[in-house]
Amino acid sequence: MSMLKSPAQIALMREAGRVVANALEAVKEHAAVGVSLKELDDVAAAVISDAGAKPAFLDYHPRWAAVPFPGVICTSVNDAVVHGIPNGYVLENGDLLSVDCGAFLEGWCGDAAISFVVGEGDALDLELIAATEAALARGIEAARTGNKMGDLAYAIGVEAKRAGYGLLADHGGHGIGRTMHAEPPVPNIGRPGRGMKLEEGLVIAIEPMLILGGKDDYYHDEDEWTLRSANGRRAAHSEHTVAITAEGPMVLTFP
C-alpha cells in the first residue's frame, strides 16, 4: 500500500507535527478576551515561519470550495464547528474556540486541532470539550495493527452518541503525508470489524467534532468555508496526527 510510511518518513512527520503543536500552544496562550482571530492567525504564522515550515491551510483550495482558504489556522467560535476563517472577530468572555492548524516541513504534513474556552467557561461547554478530547483518545487507542477502521470509528462515536452529542455529518479524519488530505477516510461513526485493516506505517489524522444537542446537521456560513451547527448549539473539535506502529499508536502532533 503506497499510503504506508517508513519509520524514517514517520520521523520526518513527527517534526512537522511538533511545529503544529507549538503553533497551537502559542495560539492558546495568546487567546484572551479582546484578542481578534486575525491576531491569533498572525501568532500561528510566526511560529510556523520561525520553524522553517509552511502553513498547510493558507490558500488551500479544494474542488468543493468556491474560494481558497484565507488563513493560516481555522478559528471556529461557538456554533461554528470547523473551517472558521480567522477574521476581525474579537473574542468575548465565555467563547468556545476551536483552532485547527496544519503545516508542512521538509515536504511532510502535520495536522491537529484543539478546543478551549476563552475566559470563564460554562459547565456544558467544558463537558463538551472534555467529551471531544475523550473521543479522540479512544480513537487513538484503537489505532492499532490488526484493528479495522470500523473499530476506530466505533470507539470514537458510540460513547459520544450515548452521551447525547452530535457528530458533524459528512466529516471525519483522513490519511496524511505528502499531502494534507489523503486516503484513507477516517470516519467518526462506524461498526466494529468493518472497513480496511489498520497496518503498520499508516498515518492518519483522527478528528472527532462533537455538537451539543445530539444533532449532526450543519450549514455553510456566508463566507463559504465556516460550517455551523444547524441547531445553533456549540461545538468542539479535537485532532491529532497518529502513526500506527508495531508498538502501538504514535501521536505525531505533540510538542
Side-chain angles (χ1 to χ4, degrees):
M1 296 173 63
S2 61
M3 66 182 73
L4 300 182
K5 311 296 189 300
S6 70
Q9 291 171 330
I10 290 172
L12 291 171
M13 292 190 70
R14 175 70 182 99
E15 295 309 308
R18 200 185 310 274
V19 173
V20 170
N22 290 338
L24 288 172
E25 186 175 31
V27 167
K28 186 175 182 179
E29 289 177 356
H30 194 79
V33 175
V35 174
S36 74
L37 300 180
K38 181 61 173 66
E39 289 177 78
L40 298 182
D41 197 62
D42 292 341
V43 168
V47 173
I48 292 170
S49 176
D50 289 347
K54 296 181 179 180
F57 296 174
L58 185 62
D59 294 326
Y60 178 59
H61 196 180
R63 287 181 295 176
W64 52 262
V67 295
F69 190 77
V72 169
I73 55 176
C74 296
T75 50
S76 305
V77 182
N78 298 332
D79 65 321
V81 189
V82 288
H83 303 165
I85 292 175
N87 53 27
Y89 176 82
V90 175
L91 292 167
E92 299 179 359
N93 186 52
D95 277 345
L96 196 168
L97 176 62
S98 298
V99 183
D100 194 354
C101 181
F104 284 96
L105 184 66
E106 301 296 331
W108 294 97
C109 192
D111 188 8
I114 58 174
S115 293
F116 55 92
V117 174
V118 178
E120 299 175 2
D122 179 85
L124 278 178
D125 292 344
L126 297 176
E127 290 170 6
L128 169 65
I129 293 168
T132 308
E133 292 174 347
L136 174 59
R138 292 193 302 271
I140 293 171
E141 177 60 26
R144 295 180 178 274
T145 56
N147 278 352
K148 298 287 186 69
M149 190 66 78
D151 298 319
L152 189 157
Y154 182 82
I156 291 171
V158 67
E159 289 191 33
K161 279 294 186 180
R162 285 174 181 167
Y165 296 106
L167 283 156
L168 183 67
D170 309 322
H171 289 76
H174 49 89
I176 186 170
R178 288 288 191 181
T179 60
M180 179 169 57
H181 293 136
E183 294 294 323
V186 182
N188 288 325
I189 299 177
R191 297 177 63 183
R194 300 294 182 90
M196 68 174 287
K197 186 177 180 180
L198 303 181
E199 297 187 48
E200 182 180 355
L202 182 66
V203 182
I204 53 178
I206 304 173
E207 51 178 321
M209 294 154 275
L210 273 58
I211 303 170
L212 287 172
K215 301 296 184 181
D216 306 336
D217 300 335
Y218 65 92
Y219 67 93
H220 282 87
D221 209 345
E222 292 179 358
D223 62 25
E224 302 188 38
W225 270 99
T226 306
L227 302 186
R228 295 190 180 275
S229 61
N231 63 4
R233 302 293 300 276
R234 293 188 171 195
H237 178 201
S238 293
E239 178 182 15
H240 272 306
T241 297
V242 180
I244 297 172
T245 76
E247 292 75 33
M250 177 190 298
V251 177
L252 304 183
T253 40
F254 278 147

